[in-house]
Amino acid sequence: MASFVPERRIRELRDLTRRRTELARAAGWENQRVEKELEDTGMKLCAVLTNVTGASGRAILEALIRGERDPVHLAGLARGRARNKIPALTGALDREFTAHHAFMIRHCLDETDRWNTVIAAFGTRIAALLADREQDLDLLATIPGTGRPGAEIIIAGTGGNMAQFHSAHHLASWTGVCPGQNESAGVSKSGPPVPATAASNACPLPLPWPHSRTRRPTSASSSPGWPPGAVVNEPSSP
C-alpha cells in the first residue's frame, strides 16, 4: 500500500504540535531547576505544594527573591486550598535562602515565562489551523487524560481522517501504543511496546490503552521514517 502522506495543512500542524511539545518540555526543565535550587536551600516546599510554580508557589518564590525571609509571612501568601497547609508551609520555609538562590530562581522563572509566551503563540497558530475542527477537538478532548492539546496532537498525528486506517487495531499499531508480538513455537505471547524514539517523543499520541486480555492489536515491524510501532502495511492515503 502507499505510504500515509497527509495534506500540507496537516504536515504544518505536525510541525507546530511537535515543536510545542518540545517547548513544553523546556518549560518543565526550568521548573525542575527551581525545585533543585529549593532543595539546596533545605526548603521542603515541594513536599507541601503540588506545584511549586503554581499561584501559591509563585507568590512565595517572588517574595523570597525580593528579600522576605519570615516563614510565617511567606506561608501567609498561600492561595486557595494551599491555605489549609499554612502550618506545614511555615515549617518547610524555615531554612536559609541566599542571594545566589534568589538569582538562580529568578532566572528560571523568567525562562519559564518566556517559554510559556512562545507556547501560547504556537497554540494560537495551531488553533487557527484547526478552526474548522472544533467539534472533532471537543469530542477528542473528552478522552481521559487527553484534553485540548492532546486532541490537537491526535489530529496532527493521524490527519483526522480515520478512513485511512483499516480498523481501530490498525490505528493503535500505527501509533505504537499496542504491545509487541512475541511468538515462539507457534505460541503467541504479549510483549512490550516498541521502544520510544525521538520520532515518537516529538509527536506523542496520548491515547489511553484499555486493559483487556483479548483482541489486542500487535505491531509487526517498523519501516524507516515511520513512527515506532508502525506496521509494514501502512495505511493508504485517502
Side-chain angles (χ1 to χ4, degrees), residues 38 58-59 65 75 110 153 162 195-196 198:
L38 288 174
R58 187 66 181 254
I65 293 171
D110 289 344
I153 290 174
M162 298 300 103

Side-chain angles (χ1 to χ4, degrees), residues 47-98:
V48 182
L49 297 178
T50 304
N51 182 7
V52 294
T53 56
S56 296
R58 187 66 181 254
I60 292 172
L61 292 174
E62 293 289 354
L64 283 167
I65 293 171
R66 291 194 302 268
E68 180 60 56
R69 296 294 182 269
D70 181 8
V72 176
H73 178 77
L74 291 169
L77 297 174
R79 303 174 183 176
R81 295 181 180 179
R83 295 195 63 81
N84 297 328
K85 304 177 181 179
I86 286 180
L89 283 171
T90 302
L93 292 166
D94 190 13
R95 297 293 187 275
E96 182 181 10
F97 190 93
T98 68

Side-chain angles (χ1 to χ4, degrees), residues 42-218:
M43 292 181 175
K44 303 299 181 181
L45 198 59
C46 300
V48 182
L49 297 178
T50 304
N51 182 7
V52 294
T53 56
S56 296
R58 187 66 181 254
I60 292 172
L61 292 174
E62 293 289 354
L64 283 167
I65 293 171
R66 291 194 302 268
E68 180 60 56
R69 296 294 182 269
D70 181 8
V72 176
H73 178 77
L74 291 169
L77 297 174
R79 303 174 183 176
R81 295 181 180 179
R83 295 195 63 81
N84 297 328
K85 304 177 181 179
I86 286 180
L89 283 171
T90 302
L93 292 166
D94 190 13
R95 297 293 187 275
E96 182 181 10
F97 190 93
T98 68
H100 172 72
H101 296 133
F103 178 86
M104 292 299 294
I105 290 180
R106 174 77 279 160
H107 164 69
C108 292
L109 292 179
D110 289 344
E111 284 296 287
T112 299
D113 291 341
R114 182 173 69 86
W115 288 126
N116 287 337
T117 299
V118 179
I119 290 170
F122 270 73
T124 299
R125 187 164 183 82
I126 290 170
L129 284 178
L130 292 173
D132 60 338
R133 306 296 294 267
E134 285 298 324
Q135 184 176 3
D136 293 337
L137 290 170
D138 290 341
L139 290 173
L140 288 169
T142 62
I143 299 174
T146 301
R148 175 74 179 222
E152 293 169 344
I153 290 174
I154 290 174
I155 292 181
T158 65
N161 180 10
M162 298 300 103
Q164 53 215 343
F165 299 100
H166 306 317
S167 66
H169 290 180
H170 191 197
L171 172 61
S173 178
W174 186 83
T175 56
V177 296
C178 63
Q181 186 175 21
N182 179 14
E183 183 175 344
S184 178
V187 178
S188 295
K189 303 177 182 179
S190 62
V194 178
T197 65
S200 63
N201 288 334
C203 186
L205 291 178
L207 300 176
W209 178 248
H211 298 286
S212 173
R213 294 179 179 271
T214 61
R215 299 195 60 179
R216 289 184 176 181
T218 55

